[in-house]
Amino acid sequence: MRNGWRALKLEAMNATALILIDLQRGMLPENTGPRNNPEAEDNAAHLLHAWRTRGLPVVHVRHMSRSPEGSFWPGSSNCEFQPRFEPLPSEQRLEKNVPDAFAGSGLERWLRLRDVHHLVVVGVATNNSVEATVRAAACLPGDACFTFDKADLHGLTRDADDWHLMSLSNLDGEYAVVTRTDEILARLG
């Protein structure tokens, strides 16, 4: 695994950070196309509440466009965090310009300085920023992520559920432990 992060060992929850990817206003349903998993944000919010209650490390990562024509150009309302995912002052905020939240963001250094060895990653889009970040190693509650309908290489539009399932299937075992929100919450106690 590229950054040396390990898949979540459930007995090590105290050394586990919750990473929230791109839960920005631009990803609210009224701003996006057809998607899957309408409960994803609720599940991510449950996990965020559990992490906050236990004082565990939380990192909010948001995408910032490199081009003024981009949907997430700095200063646009699309860049702002969704209200229920607004970081607390004690929580880390990071920005990224590419899908992988580790690339050039300082995330790896922040985690290493805090001796965090395990990650739980939630957010959007499963087959883009979530998958790119998880490939650096993490535990992935598949029901706290979502994606959108998208055309494949042949131009055929595929359903968001298909993209979501394929990304989770690609990651499970080799890059991550794909699990569910309720399983993680149960282990937190």
Side-chain angles (χ1 to χ4, degrees):
M1 291 180 226
R2 187 177 61 117
N3 289 317
W5 304 108
R6 298 182 299 258
L8 178 67
K9 303 292 185 217
L10 298 170
E11 63 275 3
M13 295 304 289
N14 288 335
T16 303
L18 177 65
I19 312 294
L20 297 110
I21 304 287
D22 298 347
L23 289 169
Q24 296 163 257
R25 292 180 187 210
M27 293 298 184
L28 289 169
E30 61 268 20
N31 298 324
T32 61
R35 59 169 275 190
N36 75 317
N37 201 3
E39 298 83 26
E41 290 95 340
D42 290 340
N43 290 329
H46 290 308
L47 290 166
L48 178 58
H49 175 75
W51 253 252
R52 285 175 170 170
T53 299
R54 289 159 183 81
L56 297 171
V58 175
V59 180
H60 301 263
V61 181
R62 65 181 173 169
H63 189 82
M64 303 301 268
S65 297
R66 292 181 176 174
S67 166
E69 294 81 34
S71 298
F72 297 99
W73 182 247
S76 79
S77 62
N78 281 343
C79 290
E80 300 304 318
F81 292 102
Q82 293 178 26
R84 65 178 159 172
F85 299 109
E86 184 65 40
L88 297 177
S90 61
E91 297 169 347
Q92 183 66 13
R93 296 172 180 236
L94 297 173
E95 295 179 354
K96 64 181 182 61
N97 305 109
V98 296
D100 180 358
F102 283 97
S105 69
L107 176 58
E108 181 175 2
R109 184 176 194 287
W110 189 90
L111 294 167
R112 288 195 188 284
L113 287 173
R114 286 151 185 83
D115 204 28
V116 173
H117 300 287
H118 309 286
L119 309 176
V120 172
V121 179
V122 303
V124 60
T126 310
N127 60 316
N128 192 321
S129 295
V130 172
E131 184 173 347
T133 300
V134 167
R135 285 184 182 273
C139 171
L140 178 61
D143 62 348
C145 304
F146 66 93
T147 194
F148 309 97
D149 289 0
K150 177 183 169 183
D152 66 16
L153 290 175
H154 300 288
L156 178 65
T157 298
R158 304 283 182 165
D159 185 86
D161 282 328
D162 292 340
W163 288 109
H164 183 77
L165 179 60
M166 188 59 64
S167 288
L168 295 177
S169 298
N170 286 340
L171 293 168
D172 190 43
E174 187 169 348
Y175 296 99
V177 174
V178 177
T179 186
R180 296 184 44 82
T181 297
D182 57 355
E183 293 170 1
I184 293 171
L185 292 172
R187 287 178 176 93
L188 282 170

